[in-house]
């Protein structure tokens, strides 16, 4: 570790941007043409939260009127001025390395691959080239440090024998021995699904997700309000006054410092950092959706078996004035209704990483994977009627999925054959086909007749999924195929005409 200040994140390119490669923080806030962040879903979440933290530190609006006046260009100008002011705090190496704790240098050193979820280490099987550990550039290390603040996996890789706050017992188990590291705040037990609004440009995306002081004051989970950016004043330890303020502020959820790190040439000193309260304690990242109406709060997790677009009605339940809302995502609810009058279209980006856990050790295995999706919404149709139609059509699609599964199951059962695997594959194929037309369905739900006019499309997907997995080649197969092929006449009926 060198004390020479070098590689400043404001000046050096390290942030992946679609169609532009890597850019610096200064470039990002200087180029309104940048469309969106690049990288995998976790990197996109991590960078969005960091950029929002910079924007909140530079120009948190007082209220919605103030937010509307700022606009993306005004926000960008204030962020550039802010970065100039705090330029010396964005060096990756030096006396005050960015988001790192020099005092943690007594902790054991981990290789970079050991702390990256997507890299296979030890005796894990390597399936694709991207799973192989590679030499990291300073740009890669910058992205890694930011990612570990919220997405460090739980497990024994953290050296919890090193404690910076005198008397702090949070890194020890009941027997007084160093405990297994807890999952970082932004990933949780199984991998939270994170959600943001998305604009036509990267700067517009940051602007529409920016919270006002009025909004933050109404969120009782952040009693310390916006809080202070950690690079302005880093905590001294896991349980110092600065750390405790971070646990109760928005800034502490955007850049949670869940890991204390210090970069070395081929690895990093690595220990558990600030232990933030979790969703079962009533505190969450604003981009996470949780149902607090039950005794045991339930979060929406990233799930490779269920693409995020299928959860759209749960994420947008605040549009319903009649149904009791269950899941609530502050980032979407507080930002969307405010943004609708100012924008023709709004994107809902959802993504995350599914992880497994065994005896406190988190890892990516089996069907675990990254997930992400973007759905565009036309502002002019958004409202309770649109949401009611979308909810009805999604309920019907869920019913069709069960129909596909049941029909395929009965087809194989009638021939005394193993059925569950084929039934699950048929159901998955149905949803894959539906995804191609889901954006059109979302657009059509502003009008009930247009939404119902799309039903023959989804009915064809039912038969396509069934026919693909249930052949009718032999006489026996043809008999089973005919007996079990789904009858969708009820789904295709037009209730309006029937009533007439």
């Amino acid at each position: 570790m060198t004390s020479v200040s070098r590689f400043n994140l404001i000046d050096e390119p390290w942030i992946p941007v679609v169609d532009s490669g890597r850019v610096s923080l200064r470039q990002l806030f200087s180029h309104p043409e940048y469309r969106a962040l690049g990288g995998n879903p976790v990197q996109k979440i991590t960078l969005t939260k960091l950029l929002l933290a910079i924007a909140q530190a530079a120009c948190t609006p007082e209220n919605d009127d103030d937010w509307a006046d700022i606009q993306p260009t005004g926000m960008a100008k204030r962020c550039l001025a802010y970065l100039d002011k705090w330029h010396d705090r964005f060096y990756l190496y030096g006396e005050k390395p960015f988001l790192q704790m020099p005092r943690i240098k007594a902790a054991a050193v981990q290789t970079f691959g050991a702390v990256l979820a997507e890299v296979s280490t030890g005796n894990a099987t390597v399936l694709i080239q991207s799973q192989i550990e590679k030499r990291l550039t300073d740009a890669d290390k910058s992205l890694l440090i930011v990612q570990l603040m919220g997405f460090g996996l739980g497990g024994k890789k953290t050296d919890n024998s090193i404690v910076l706050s005198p008397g702090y017992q949070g890194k020890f188990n009941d027997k007084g021995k160093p405990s297994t590291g807890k999952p970082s705040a932004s990933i949780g037990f199984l991998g939270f699904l994170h959600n943001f609004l998305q604009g036509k440009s990267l700067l517009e995306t940051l602007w529409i997700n920016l919270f006002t002081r009025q909004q933050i004051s109404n969120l009782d989970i952040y009693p310390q309000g916006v809080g202070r950016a950690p690079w302005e004043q880093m905590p001294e330890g896991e349980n110092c006054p600065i750390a405790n303020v971070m646990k109760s502020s928005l800034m502490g959820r955007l850049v949670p410092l869940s890991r204390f790190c210090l970069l070395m040439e081929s690895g990093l000193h690595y220990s558990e950092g600030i232990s933030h309260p979790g969703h079962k304690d009533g505190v969450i990242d604003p981009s996470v959706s949780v149902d607090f109406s039950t005794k045991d709060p339930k979060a929406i997790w990233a799930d490779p078996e269920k693409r995020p677009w299928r959860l759209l009605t749960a994420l947008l339940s605040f549009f319903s004035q009649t149904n009791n809302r269950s899941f609530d995502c502050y980032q979407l609810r507080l930002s969307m209704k405010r943004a609708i009058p100012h924008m023709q279209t709004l994107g809902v980006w959802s993504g995350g990483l599914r992880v497994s856990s065994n005896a406190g050790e988190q890892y990516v295995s089996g069907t675990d994977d990254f997930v992400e999706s973007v759905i565009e919404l036309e502002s002019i149709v958004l409202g309770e009627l649109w949401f009611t139609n979308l909810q009805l059509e999604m309920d019907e699609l869920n019913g069709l999925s069960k129909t596909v599964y049941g029909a395929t199951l009965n087809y194989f059962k009638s021939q005394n054959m193993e059925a569950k695997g084929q039934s699950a594959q048929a159901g998955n194929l149905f949803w894959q086909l539906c995804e191609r037309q889901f954006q059109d369905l979302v657009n059509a739900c502003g009008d009930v007749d247009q939404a119902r006019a799309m039903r023959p499309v989804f009915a064809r997907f039912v038969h396509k999924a069934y026919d693909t997995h249930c052949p009718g080649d032999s006489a026996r197969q043809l008999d089973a195929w005919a007996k079990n092929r789904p009858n969708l006449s009820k789904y295709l009926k037009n209730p309006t005409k029937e009533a007439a």
Side-chain angles (χ1 to χ4, degrees):
M1 176 68 192
T2 176
S3 61
V4 178
S5 296
R6 61 183 177 89
F7 199 88
N8 194 289
L9 278 67
I10 296 173
D11 306 318
E12 302 284 351
W14 65 281
I15 302 170
V17 170
V18 172
D19 302 328
S20 300
R22 301 227 187 194
V23 305
S24 67
L25 283 168
R26 191 185 306 282
Q27 288 175 306
L28 188 145
F29 286 108
S30 301
H31 289 265
E33 71 273 15
Y34 289 158
R35 186 160 54 88
L37 292 168
N40 63 47
V42 165
Q43 291 170 339
K44 291 177 182 178
I45 297 165
T46 294
L47 289 169
T48 299
K49 286 156 64 72
L50 174 69
L51 296 171
L52 283 173
I54 292 171
Q56 295 284 175
C59 59
T60 297
E62 291 298 325
N63 50 43
D64 288 350
D65 290 337
D66 191 17
W67 169 83
D69 289 340
I70 290 174
Q71 292 291 305
T73 52
M75 177 199 70
K77 287 180 180 178
R78 296 192 194 185
C79 288
L80 287 170
Y82 175 85
L83 292 174
D84 284 339
K85 177 182 177 181
W86 294 97
H87 186 272
D88 67 325
R89 301 300 176 87
F90 284 80
Y91 283 105
L92 188 62
Y93 306 101
E95 295 292 338
K96 295 182 178 180
F98 185 68
L99 298 183
Q100 297 169 65
M101 301 286 286
R103 292 179 59 210
I104 208 68
K105 62 183 178 181
V109 174
Q110 289 288 350
T111 64
F112 297 123
V115 297
L116 281 166
E118 65 270 24
V119 172
S120 295
T121 56
N123 60 359
T125 303
V126 175
L127 299 177
I128 55 179
Q129 187 73 19
S130 62
Q131 293 178 312
I132 299 175
E133 185 172 1
K134 62 180 182 180
R135 185 178 180 86
L136 300 188
T137 64
D138 285 338
D140 296 325
K141 293 174 186 177
S142 301
L143 188 54
L144 173 64
I145 285 294
V146 178
Q147 180 176 323
L148 290 176
M149 296 302 104
F151 283 89
L153 299 186
K156 298 177 182 178
K157 292 184 174 69
T158 56
D159 182 359
N160 283 356
S161 66
I162 306 303
V163 179
L164 302 186
S165 289
Y168 177 64
Q169 296 297 311
K171 295 165 85 168
F172 296 93
N173 58 27
D174 295 337
K175 297 180 180 179
K177 296 182 178 180
S179 62
T180 299
K182 294 181 283 293
S184 291
S186 299
I187 195 162
F189 181 60
L190 295 174
F192 291 119
L193 185 74
H194 291 259
N195 312 275
F196 299 95
L197 291 186
Q198 185 166 297
K200 292 182 179 179
S201 70
L202 182 48
L203 291 182
E204 190 175 68
T205 294
L206 297 176
W207 175 63
I208 58 179
N209 285 287
L210 196 63
F211 284 157
T212 67
R213 292 191 188 278
Q214 188 176 66
Q215 288 174 327
I216 298 167
S217 67
N218 291 333
L219 293 177
D220 55 8
I221 62 172
Y222 308 132
Q224 294 289 339
V226 179
R228 190 172 184 182
W231 50 83
E232 293 183 16
Q233 187 177 26
M234 287 287 285
E236 296 179 358
E238 302 85 356
N239 199 40
C240 69
I242 296 172
N244 290 328
V245 169
M246 289 191 68
K247 294 177 186 179
S248 304
S249 69
L250 172 64
M251 200 65 72
R253 302 305 298 205
L254 294 176
V255 189
L257 298 187
S258 294
R259 293 292 181 266
F260 285 169
C261 309
L262 183 64
L263 285 172
M264 303 296 289
E265 184 62 32
S266 59
L268 73 171
H269 299 282
Y270 192 62
S271 183
E272 186 177 307
I274 299 173
S275 180
H276 288 264
H279 73 284
K280 292 190 176 182
D281 304 308
V283 185
I284 55 172
D285 290 7
S287 51
V288 169
S289 187
V290 175
D291 181 1
F292 288 116
S293 65
T294 59
K295 183 178 179 181
D296 187 21
K298 297 179 180 179
I300 294 182
W301 305 102
D303 185 359
E305 297 294 318
K306 192 172 185 178
R307 297 270 292 156
W309 63 267
R310 292 171 56 187
L311 302 166
L312 189 62
T313 52
L315 296 172
L316 301 183
S317 62
F318 54 83
F319 276 112
S320 175
Q321 301 297 321
T322 54
N323 297 335
N324 291 326
R325 293 199 300 265
S326 53
F327 287 97
D328 191 11
C329 176
Y330 301 136
Q331 191 70 61
L332 296 182
R333 176 165 60 85
L334 296 180
S335 301
M336 183 169 287
K337 291 189 176 181
R338 177 190 63 185
I340 286 174
H342 300 272
M343 303 179 66
Q344 290 184 342
T345 59
L346 286 166
V348 174
W349 183 93
S350 302
L353 171 66
R354 181 73 169 204
V355 295
S356 297
S357 183
N358 182 23
E361 196 75 24
Q362 279 186 318
Y363 50 89
V364 177
S365 179
T367 59
D368 296 336
D369 203 353
F370 295 111
V371 298
E372 69 175 313
S373 67
V374 180
I375 298 297
E376 289 196 350
L377 310 176
E378 296 178 359
S379 298
I380 194 171
V381 303
L382 294 180
E384 186 172 12
L385 175 63
W386 168 84
F387 179 78
T388 300
N389 290 336
L390 178 64
Q391 195 168 41
L392 174 62
E393 295 306 316
M394 281 303 299
D395 288 343
E396 292 288 352
L397 291 184
N398 283 316
L400 292 182
S401 173
K402 294 176 182 177
T403 297
V404 170
Y405 185 93
T408 306
L409 188 72
N410 290 332
Y411 167 88
F412 284 98
K413 275 188 173 181
S414 66
Q415 301 175 78
N416 297 319
M417 299 172 65
E418 173 58 37
K420 287 187 177 180
Q422 292 286 350
S423 300
Q425 289 178 37
N428 287 337
L429 176 58
F430 168 73
W431 283 118
Q432 289 172 24
L433 295 169
C434 288
E435 185 168 6
R436 302 174 185 176
Q437 296 295 324
F438 184 68
Q439 182 65 65
D440 290 338
L441 178 62
V442 168
N443 296 340
C445 282
D447 181 278
V448 64
D449 291 329
Q450 290 183 23
R452 290 186 182 278
M454 290 197 64
R455 289 193 175 189
V457 174
F458 296 106
R460 287 197 295 271
F461 293 159
V462 170
H463 289 142
K464 173 70 173 176
Y466 177 79
D467 293 346
T468 298
H469 289 274
C470 302
D473 298 330
S474 67
R476 183 184 181 194
Q477 287 177 336
L478 187 60
D479 182 57
W481 177 88
K483 285 182 178 179
N484 295 292
R485 197 166 193 257
N487 183 345
L488 303 178
S489 58
K490 184 177 180 181
Y491 169 69
L492 292 171
K493 274 185 180 180
N494 189 324
T496 304
K497 290 182 179 180
E498 190 179 67

